Coordinates of all heavy atoms in Angstrom, one line a residue:
E1 N 185.1 -89.2 91.2 CA 183.6 -89.0 91.2 C 182.9 -90.2 90.6 O 183.5 -90.9 89.7 CB 183.3 -87.7 90.5 CG 183.6 -87.7 89.0 CD 183.1 -86.5 88.3 OE1 182.6 -85.5 88.9 OE2 183.3 -86.4 87.0
F2 N 181.7 -90.3 91.0 CA 180.8 -91.4 90.5 C 180.4 -91.1 89.0 O 180.2 -90.0 88.7 CB 179.6 -91.5 91.3 CG 178.5 -92.3 90.8 CD1 178.6 -93.7 90.8 CD2 177.3 -91.8 90.2 CE1 177.6 -94.5 90.2 CE2 176.3 -92.5 89.7 CZ 176.4 -93.9 89.7
V3 N 180.4 -92.2 88.2 CA 180.0 -92.0 86.8 C 178.7 -92.8 86.6 O 177.7 -92.3 86.1 CB 181.1 -92.5 85.8 CG1 180.6 -92.5 84.4 CG2 182.3 -91.6 86.0
A4 N 178.8 -94.1 86.8 CA 177.6 -95.0 86.6 C 177.7 -96.3 87.4 O 178.8 -96.7 87.8 CB 177.6 -95.4 85.1
A5 N 176.6 -96.9 87.6 CA 176.6 -98.1 88.4 C 175.4 -99.0 87.9 O 174.5 -98.6 87.3 CB 176.4 -97.9 89.9
I6 N 175.6 -100.3 88.1 CA 174.6 -101.3 87.7 C 174.5 -102.4 88.7 O 175.5 -102.8 89.3 CB 175.0 -101.9 86.3 CG1 173.9 -102.8 85.7 CG2 176.4 -102.6 86.4 CD1 174.2 -103.1 84.2
S7 N 173.3 -102.9 88.9 CA 173.0 -103.9 89.9 C 173.5 -105.3 89.3 O 173.7 -105.4 88.1 CB 171.5 -104.0 90.2 OG 170.8 -104.3 89.0
R8 N 173.5 -106.3 90.2 CA 173.9 -107.6 89.8 C 173.0 -108.2 88.8 O 173.4 -108.8 87.8 CB 173.9 -108.5 91.0 CG 174.4 -110.0 90.8 CD 174.6 -110.7 92.1 NE 175.0 -112.1 91.8 CZ 175.6 -112.8 92.8 NH1 175.8 -112.3 94.0 NH2 175.8 -114.1 92.5
S9 N 171.7 -107.9 88.9 CA 170.8 -108.4 87.9 C 170.8 -107.7 86.6 O 170.3 -108.2 85.6 CB 169.4 -108.3 88.5 OG 169.0 -106.9 88.6
G10 N 171.4 -106.5 86.6 CA 171.5 -105.7 85.4 C 170.3 -104.9 85.2 O 170.2 -104.0 84.3
G11 N 169.3 -105.0 86.0 CA 168.0 -104.4 85.8 C 168.0 -102.9 86.4 O 167.1 -102.2 86.0
N12 N 168.9 -102.6 87.3 CA 168.9 -101.3 87.8 C 170.2 -100.6 87.4 O 171.3 -101.2 87.6 CB 168.8 -101.3 89.3 CG 167.4 -101.7 89.8 OD1 166.5 -101.5 89.1 ND2 167.3 -102.3 91.0
T13 N 170.1 -99.4 86.9 CA 171.3 -98.6 86.6 C 171.1 -97.2 87.1 O 170.0 -96.7 87.4 CB 171.6 -98.5 85.1 OG1 170.4 -98.0 84.4 CG2 171.8 -99.9 84.5
K14 N 172.3 -96.5 87.3 CA 172.2 -95.1 87.8 C 173.4 -94.4 87.2 O 174.5 -95.0 87.0 CB 172.2 -95.0 89.3 CG 171.9 -93.6 89.8 CD 171.6 -93.6 91.3 CE 171.3 -92.2 91.8 NZ 170.0 -91.7 91.2
Y15 N 173.2 -93.1 86.8 CA 174.2 -92.3 86.2 C 174.4 -91.0 86.8 O 173.4 -90.4 87.4 CB 173.9 -92.1 84.7 CG 173.7 -93.3 83.9 CD1 172.5 -94.0 83.8 CD2 174.9 -93.9 83.2 CE1 172.4 -95.2 83.0 CE2 174.8 -95.0 82.4 CZ 173.6 -95.7 82.4 OH 173.5 -96.8 81.6
A16 N 175.6 -90.5 86.8 CA 175.8 -89.1 87.2 C 175.1 -88.2 86.2 O 175.0 -88.5 85.0 CB 177.3 -88.8 87.2
D17 N 174.6 -87.1 86.6 CA 173.9 -86.1 85.8 C 174.7 -85.7 84.6 O 174.2 -85.5 83.5 CB 173.4 -84.9 86.6 CG 172.3 -85.2 87.5 OD1 171.6 -86.3 87.3 OD2 172.1 -84.4 88.4
S18 N 176.0 -85.6 84.8 CA 177.0 -85.1 83.8 C 177.1 -86.1 82.6 O 177.5 -85.6 81.5 CB 178.3 -84.8 84.4 OG 178.9 -86.0 84.9
V19 N 176.8 -87.3 82.8 CA 176.9 -88.3 81.7 C 175.6 -88.9 81.2 O 175.6 -89.7 80.3 CB 177.9 -89.4 82.1 CG1 179.2 -88.9 82.6 CG2 177.2 -90.3 83.2
K20 N 174.5 -88.6 81.9 CA 173.2 -89.1 81.6 C 172.8 -88.8 80.1 O 173.0 -87.7 79.7 CB 172.2 -88.6 82.6 CG 170.9 -89.4 82.7 CD 170.1 -88.9 83.8 CE 170.7 -89.0 85.2 NZ 169.9 -88.5 86.3
G21 N 172.4 -89.9 79.4 CA 172.1 -89.7 78.0 C 173.2 -89.9 77.1 O 173.0 -90.0 75.8
R22 N 174.5 -89.9 77.6 CA 175.6 -90.1 76.7 C 176.3 -91.4 77.0 O 176.9 -92.0 76.1 CB 176.6 -88.9 76.9 CG 176.0 -87.5 76.6 CD 177.1 -86.4 76.7 NE 177.7 -86.3 78.0 CZ 179.0 -86.5 78.3 NH1 179.9 -86.8 77.3 NH2 179.5 -86.3 79.5
F23 N 176.3 -91.8 78.3 CA 177.0 -93.0 78.7 C 176.0 -94.1 79.0 O 174.9 -93.9 79.4 CB 177.9 -92.8 79.9 CG 179.1 -91.9 79.7 CD1 179.3 -91.2 78.6 CD2 180.0 -91.8 80.7 CE1 180.4 -90.4 78.4 CE2 181.1 -91.0 80.6 CZ 181.3 -90.3 79.5
T24 N 176.4 -95.4 78.7 CA 175.6 -96.5 79.0 C 176.4 -97.6 79.7 O 177.4 -98.0 79.1 CB 174.9 -97.1 77.7 OG1 174.2 -96.1 77.1 CG2 174.0 -98.3 78.1
I25 N 176.0 -98.0 80.8 CA 176.7 -99.1 81.5 C 175.9 -100.4 81.3 O 174.7 -100.4 81.2 CB 176.8 -98.8 83.0 CG1 177.7 -99.8 83.7 CG2 175.4 -98.7 83.7 CD1 178.0 -99.5 85.2
S26 N 176.7 -101.5 81.1 CA 176.1 -102.8 81.0 C 177.0 -103.9 81.6 O 178.2 -103.6 81.8 CB 175.8 -103.1 79.5 OG 177.1 -103.1 78.8
R27 N 176.5 -105.1 81.8 CA 177.3 -106.1 82.4 C 176.9 -107.4 81.8 O 175.8 -107.7 81.3 CB 177.2 -106.1 83.9 CG 175.9 -106.6 84.5 CD 175.9 -106.4 86.0 NE 176.8 -107.3 86.7 CZ 177.0 -107.2 88.0 NH1 176.5 -106.2 88.7 NH2 177.8 -108.0 88.6
D28 N 177.9 -108.3 81.8 CA 177.7 -109.7 81.3 C 178.2 -110.6 82.4 O 179.4 -110.8 82.5 CB 178.5 -109.9 80.0 CG 178.2 -111.3 79.4 OD1 177.9 -112.2 80.2 OD2 178.4 -111.5 78.2
N29 N 177.3 -111.1 83.2 CA 177.8 -111.9 84.4 C 178.4 -113.2 84.0 O 179.3 -113.7 84.7 CB 176.6 -112.2 85.3 CG 176.1 -110.9 86.0 OD1 176.8 -110.0 86.2 ND2 174.8 -110.9 86.4
A30 N 178.1 -113.8 82.8 CA 178.7 -115.0 82.3 C 180.2 -114.8 82.0 O 181.0 -115.7 82.2 CB 178.0 -115.5 81.1
K31 N 180.5 -113.5 81.6 CA 181.9 -113.2 81.3 C 182.5 -112.4 82.4 O 183.7 -111.9 82.3 CB 181.9 -112.4 80.0 CG 181.5 -113.2 78.8 CD 181.6 -112.4 77.5 CE 181.1 -113.2 76.3 NZ 181.2 -112.4 75.1
N32 N 181.8 -112.2 83.5 CA 182.4 -111.4 84.7 C 182.9 -110.1 84.2 O 184.0 -109.6 84.6 CB 183.5 -112.2 85.4 CG 183.0 -113.5 85.9 OD1 182.0 -113.6 86.6 ND2 183.8 -114.6 85.6
S33 N 182.1 -109.4 83.4 CA 182.5 -108.1 82.9 C 181.5 -107.0 83.0 O 180.3 -107.3 83.1 CB 182.9 -108.3 81.4 OG 181.8 -108.6 80.6
V34 N 181.9 -105.8 83.0 CA 181.1 -104.6 83.0 C 181.7 -103.7 82.0 O 182.9 -103.5 81.9 CB 180.9 -104.0 84.4 CG1 182.3 -103.5 84.9 CG2 179.9 -102.9 84.4
N35 N 180.8 -103.1 81.2 CA 181.2 -102.2 80.1 C 180.6 -100.8 80.3 O 179.6 -100.6 81.0 CB 180.8 -102.7 78.8 CG 181.3 -104.1 78.5 OD1 182.5 -104.3 78.6 ND2 180.4 -105.0 78.2
L36 N 181.3 -99.8 79.8 CA 180.8 -98.4 79.8 C 181.0 -97.9 78.4 O 182.1 -97.6 77.9 CB 181.6 -97.6 80.8 CG 181.1 -96.1 80.9 CD1 179.7 -96.2 81.6 CD2 182.1 -95.3 81.7
E37 N 179.8 -97.7 77.7 CA 179.8 -97.1 76.4 C 179.7 -95.6 76.5 O 178.7 -95.1 77.1 CB 178.6 -97.7 75.6 CG 178.6 -97.3 74.1 CD 179.5 -98.2 73.3 OE1 179.7 -99.3 73.6 OE2 180.1 -97.6 72.4
M38 N 180.6 -94.9 76.0 CA 180.7 -93.5 76.1 C 180.6 -92.8 74.7 O 181.4 -93.0 73.9 CB 182.0 -93.0 76.8 CG 182.3 -93.7 78.1 SD 183.7 -93.1 79.0 CE 185.0 -93.6 77.8
N39 N 179.5 -92.0 74.6 CA 179.3 -91.3 73.3 C 179.3 -89.8 73.5 O 179.2 -89.3 74.7 CB 177.9 -91.8 72.7 CG 177.9 -93.2 72.4 OD1 178.8 -93.8 71.8 ND2 176.8 -93.9 72.8
S40 N 179.4 -89.1 72.5 CA 179.4 -87.6 72.5 C 180.3 -87.1 73.6 O 180.0 -86.2 74.4 CB 178.0 -87.1 72.8 OG 177.0 -87.6 71.8
L41 N 181.5 -87.6 73.5 CA 182.5 -87.3 74.5 C 182.9 -85.8 74.5 O 183.0 -85.2 73.4 CB 183.8 -88.2 74.4 CG 183.5 -89.6 74.9 CD1 184.6 -90.5 74.4 CD2 183.6 -89.6 76.5
E42 N 183.2 -85.3 75.6 CA 183.5 -83.9 75.8 C 184.9 -83.8 76.5 O 185.3 -84.7 77.2 CB 182.5 -83.2 76.6 CG 181.1 -83.3 76.1 CD 180.0 -82.9 77.1 OE1 180.4 -82.6 78.3 OE2 178.8 -82.8 76.7
P43 N 185.6 -82.7 76.3 CA 186.9 -82.5 77.0 C 186.8 -82.7 78.5 O 187.7 -83.2 79.1 CB 187.3 -81.1 76.6 CG 186.7 -80.9 75.3 CD 185.4 -81.6 75.3
E44 N 185.6 -82.4 79.0 CA 185.4 -82.5 80.5 C 185.3 -84.0 80.9 O 185.4 -84.2 82.1 CB 184.1 -81.8 80.9 CG 184.2 -80.3 80.7 CD 184.1 -79.8 79.3 OE1 183.6 -80.5 78.4 OE2 184.6 -78.6 79.0

């Protein structure tokens, strides 16, 4: 299932309802990387 996505520019992001407000996606194009910060994690 989908969790989160981010545009190439980094300006557009979208989240699944189940993680909205808890997860944050970010990217660093200079390092060719994308990160997912996950807080308030649940067993689900």
Side-chain angles (χ1 to χ4, degrees):
E1 64 176 4
F2 168 75
V3 175
I6 188 168
S7 62
R8 179 169 179 163
S9 67
N12 290 336
T13 58
K14 192 167 179 64
Y15 298 90
D17 288 343
S18 59
V19 307
K20 202 172 295 183
R22 300 187 298 122
F23 290 12
T24 302
I25 189 171
S26 62
R27 68 189 290 171
D28 185 337
N29 291 335
K31 296 181 178 180
N32 299 314
S33 65
V34 62
N35 303 305
L36 186 68
E37 189 76 36
M38 307 186 294
N39 298 313
S40 301
L41 283 162
E42 304 167 352
E44 293 73 23

